[in-house]
Amino acid sequence: MPDLQEDLQALADRRAAESAGDFDSVLTTAKTRKRRRTAGLTVIGAAAVVGAVAIVPTLRPASNTPVADSPVPTNKVVPPQVETLPSAPVLPKAGALGLKTLKSVTTLAGGQFVASFPDKQVRAVTFSLASASKPELSLYTLVAKIPGDPTTPYAIRMSGEMGIAIPSFSSAGPYTLAMPKGLPSGSYRVCTLSGSLLCGLMTVK
């Protein structure tokens, strides 16, 4: 509206000047009004640019840095948890134990047999007896015959913690051993309990 009023005023001034014969004065007045209007538009345009520059920083995207305790998801991949199962106990490598039947242990549990050591080392009078299918599980401790001790040989059933005294006799063998009475038929593993491990198999039918 101010521009329209100025144009109307300039037109009225020009008409008045034309009627008065002062055309140069009318032209000067019109140019002055035009310069004022252009200067005003230039100021308004500069102010708009400054306002836009001031607004730009506020339009920037927010930082992706997560705030503490915020539920902002991350792109990190959680490694899968691998469950490690306990492996079966590794049995020490056993040498050969020489076994010789004195009385038939293949047909009668309770029979006697002789164990000899190929390496000729001195060992204690005690041996272990286990099933051949589960050699890690000791069933009996076998006590060999000791010279002058009529109670030997015999077998001690392994049933948890036991406080039975075992003779401390030792020699390089051979030792005479006895299978437990009432032992079920099957294949059994006989091993030394001292020195390097020596084992042999006996069969009860």
Side-chain angles (χ1 to χ4, degrees), residues 147-166:
D149 186 349
T151 63
T152 59
Y154 59 89
I156 304 172
R157 187 177 183 85
M158 302 305 294
S159 55
E161 300 265 339
M162 300 183 66
I164 298 176
I166 295 177

Side-chain angles (χ1 to χ4, degrees), residues 25-81:
S25 176
V26 171
L27 184 60
T28 301
T29 302
K31 288 181 179 180
T32 301
R33 291 179 182 275
K34 185 176 182 180
R35 282 196 298 269
R36 289 176 181 175
R37 184 167 62 249
T38 303
L41 293 175
T42 301
V43 172
I44 293 173
V49 171
V50 173
V53 172
I55 292 173
V56 166
T58 64
L59 298 179
R60 292 179 180 174
S63 173
N64 291 329
T65 303
V67 181
D69 299 330
S70 66
V72 178
T74 63
N75 293 328
K76 293 183 179 180
V77 178
V78 179
Q81 294 183 353

Side-chain angles (χ1 to χ4, degrees), residues 42-159:
T42 301
V43 172
I44 293 173
V49 171
V50 173
V53 172
I55 292 173
V56 166
T58 64
L59 298 179
R60 292 179 180 174
S63 173
N64 291 329
T65 303
V67 181
D69 299 330
S70 66
V72 178
T74 63
N75 293 328
K76 293 183 179 180
V77 178
V78 179
Q81 294 183 353
V82 180
E83 184 179 357
T84 303
L85 298 177
S87 56
V90 179
L91 297 176
K93 186 177 180 179
L97 177 66
L99 300 178
K100 181 180 179 181
T101 301
L102 293 180
K103 295 181 180 179
S104 180
V105 293
T106 57
T107 58
L108 177 65
Q112 296 183 358
F113 61 97
V114 174
S116 59
F117 313 136
D119 57 8
K120 307 299 181 181
Q121 290 185 13
V122 174
R123 286 177 172 82
V125 73
T126 52
F127 295 75
S128 68
L129 178 69
S131 171
S133 60
K134 293 183 179 180
E136 73 281 358
L137 180 61
S138 180
L139 301 176
Y140 290 87
T141 293
L142 304 181
V143 178
K145 183 172 180 59
I146 299 173
D149 186 349
T151 63
T152 59
Y154 59 89
I156 304 172
R157 187 177 183 85
M158 302 305 294
S159 55

